[in-house]
Amino acid sequence: IKVGDIYEVEIKSLTQRGDGFARIKGVATFVKNVTPGWKGNVRVTRVGPSYVVAEPVSSESSSEGEQ
């Protein structure tokens, strides 16, 4: 798993901080701006020692609106 990789996930629950929680290849994955039950593709934005941070990928265009 590395930054920029895209995976399909299903959000199982929310963390205390309000991030969506899923697993990619068994690794804890935190996804911003999603709700429990959300399914879709996410792009890895950060890789920690035992976790991954990702963001939802737009199904229309993954390059629009990025900074």
Side-chain angles (χ1 to χ4, degrees):
I1 300 173
K2 61 186 183 297
V3 172
D5 285 355
I6 295 177
Y7 294 93
E8 185 174 348
V9 300
E10 179 178 355
I11 301 303
K12 301 292 186 187
S13 61
L14 293 180
T15 66
Q16 290 181 344
R17 296 175 58 182
D19 295 333
F21 179 81
R23 290 199 178 268
I24 295 174
K25 297 183 179 179
V27 177
T29 303
F30 303 102
V31 183
K32 304 278 186 188
N33 304 317
V34 293
T35 56
W38 182 88
K39 292 181 184 179
N41 292 328
V42 296
R43 177 183 292 115
V44 175
T45 58
R46 182 174 164 197
V47 178
S50 61
Y51 66 91
V52 171
V53 178
E55 62 185 10
V57 175
S58 168
S59 58
E60 297 170 13
S61 174
S62 61
S63 61
E64 287 185 11
E66 290 184 357
Q67 296 179 354

